[in-house]
């Protein structure tokens, strides 16, 4: 069937502008056609790519193999491959290959349908990281809870007051860890779904600091860390969601405890800033945060590499802190502490009376 001329142009425009990369190659892997999306994915222009080998335009970033070998040894669709763009950036591509039947030529051509799945791949890895860690996060406090409750049930009559108190403290500790985890998970889900709302009341921050300190008591006692609080007199009330600000404070105190050394104090200070802001900072004596990590640790599921191994956690707390504070019109940040450690801070605007 002969296609009318305007339809040929239409087909060409369609193929050029498809949102997936379309590349055709001859039997030796030489590029014959290269659409706009293939240009965007690879960084090579159409003029540069045509006539070159597919192996040069899509070099594999790992191993010594070549893309053409993989195309010829595998069935129509390859598992995603890592390649380097012209600018040297590693990206992940899903490639489907199909032989083209050309009515007027005997030469074999293969069409490659190319999709950049770098982001999908990262999201999948994030998901499996999350699933692998979340079960551990639940299991650890639950096992501790179970063990303490079983001990209490078995020996309730025989235990001395001190022993009973120790077991109840351990239960309190595990319940606090579970509560923080569940609160962060719920907040994170509602932030992602765009359902996150705050309910503001005029509140004194001193009350919230006291509540957060009370909640974190079992955690701090376990690591023998004193919480040193400094609050100036006459601090004005702020229009905030009290539960959410308490959650911010508990996250920051729990991190300071987790990543700070045993037996060392944690300082929590409130101060009034010019232009009607209250600044709250939580300082520890831990290993601190590298310059590189400072910009990423407020993202979801990100954990600083240095601290990753020894401590439990899934990298949600700080992303929740940031979302809560920003929805109050404030800002969050972290600074290195002279002499070691970090200072996590946030600001809350004070409304004119
Ligand atoms: P989690 O503690 O569950 O990993 P967070 O979102 O609360 O998640 O923190 C993200 C990362 O930031 C942590 O994994 C840790 O590497 C780093 N971090 C947070 N607070 C501190 C701190 N006070 N000192 C050192 N590193 C910290």
């Amino acid at each position: 069937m002969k296609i009318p001329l305007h339809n040929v142009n239409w087909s060409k425009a369609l193929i050029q502008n498809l949102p997936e990369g379309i590349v055709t190659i001859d039997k030796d892997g030489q590029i014959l056609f290269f659409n706009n999306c293939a240009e965007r994915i690879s960084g090579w222009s159409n003029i540069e790519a045509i006539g070159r080998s597919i192996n040069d335009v899509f070099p594999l970033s790992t191993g010594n193999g070549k893309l053409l070998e993989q195309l010829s040894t595998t069935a129509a669709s390859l598992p995603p491959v890592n390649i380097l763009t012209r600018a040297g950036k590693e990206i992940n591509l899903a490639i489907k290959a199909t032989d083209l039947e050309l009515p007027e030529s005997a030469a074999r051509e293969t069409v490659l349908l190319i999709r950049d799945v770098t982001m999908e791949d990262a999201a999948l890895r994030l998901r499996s990281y999350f699933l692998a860690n979340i079960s551990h996060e639940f299991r650890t406090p639950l096992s501790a809870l179970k063990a303490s409750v079983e001990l209490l049930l078995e020996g309730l009559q025989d235990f001395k007051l001190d022993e009973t108190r120790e077991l109840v403290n351990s239960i309190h500790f595990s319940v606090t860890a579970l509560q923080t985890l569940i609160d962060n998970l719920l907040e994170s889900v509602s932030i992602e779904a765009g359902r996150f709302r705050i309910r503001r009341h005029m509140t004194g921050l001193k009350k919230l600091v006291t509540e957060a300190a009370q909640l974190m008591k079992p955690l701090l006692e376990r690591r023998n860390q004193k919480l040193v609080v400094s609050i100036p007199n006459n601090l004005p009330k702020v229009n905030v969601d009290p539960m959410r600000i308490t959650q911010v404070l508990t996250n920051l105190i729990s991190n300071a405890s987790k990543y700070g050394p045993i037996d060392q104090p944690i300082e929590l200070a409130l101060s009034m800033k010019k232009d009607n802001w209250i600044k709250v900072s939580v300082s520890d004596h831990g290993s601190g945060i590298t310059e590189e990590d400072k910009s990423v640790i407020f993202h979801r599921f990100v954990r600083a590499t240095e601290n990753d191994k020894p401590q439990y956690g899934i990298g949600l707390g700080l992303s929740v802190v940031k979302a809560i504070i920003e929805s109050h019109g404030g800002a969050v940040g972290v600074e290195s502490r002279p002499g070691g450690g970090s200072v996590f801070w946030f600001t809350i605007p004070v409304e004119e009376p």
Side-chain angles (χ1 to χ4, degrees), residues 173-188:
F173 175 82
S174 304
V175 169
T176 309
L178 279 174
Q179 189 180 0
T180 311
L181 176 63
I182 292 168
D183 285 348
N184 283 342
L185 274 174
L186 291 178
E187 294 296 31
S188 187

Side-chain angles (χ1 to χ4, degrees), residues 41-100:
I41 291 175
S42 66
W44 289 81
S45 76
N46 178 297
I47 293 169
E48 293 166 324
I50 288 175
R52 280 182 196 264
S53 162
I54 188 78
N55 291 334
D56 297 340
V57 174
F58 291 100
L60 298 183
S61 65
T62 42
N64 301 321
K66 302 274 187 219
L67 183 60
L68 194 59
E69 288 164 21
Q70 299 211 6
L71 288 171
S72 52
T73 52
T74 333
S77 98
L78 288 175
V81 283
N82 286 332
I83 68 115
L84 292 176
T85 64
R86 188 160 197 200
K89 188 174 156 217
E90 185 169 347
I91 56 172
N92 195 242
L93 299 183
I95 303 181
K96 279 190 184 159
T98 317
D99 282 340
L100 257 190

Side-chain angles (χ1 to χ4, degrees), residues 312-324:
Y312 55 92
I314 45 172
L316 265 189
L318 289 180
S319 65
V320 170
V321 164
K322 183 170 155 66
I324 293 177

Side-chain angles (χ1 to χ4, degrees), residues 19-21 37 41 78-82 89-96 113-129 192 301:
E20 308 226 326
C37 186
I41 291 175
L78 288 175
V81 283
N82 286 332
K89 188 174 156 217
E90 185 169 347
I91 56 172
N92 195 242
L93 299 183
I95 303 181
K96 279 190 184 159
L113 191 67
I114 301 174
R115 196 156 55 90
D116 184 352
V117 292
T118 314
M119 294 309 284
E120 290 166 41
D121 187 54
L124 273 178
R125 269 188 281 124
L126 217 61
R127 212 177 93 112
S128 39
Y129 170 82
E192 206 191 6
F301 303 131

Side-chain angles (χ1 to χ4, degrees), residues 255-256 258-259 284 287-289 297 302-304 307-308 312-319 342 344:
N255 277 351
K258 208 158 72 167
Y259 300 108
D284 61 56
S287 55
I289 314 264
I297 50 170
V302 173
R303 311 200 67 212
N307 300 317
D308 198 9
Y312 55 92
I314 45 172
L316 265 189
L318 289 180
S319 65
S342 24
F344 279 84

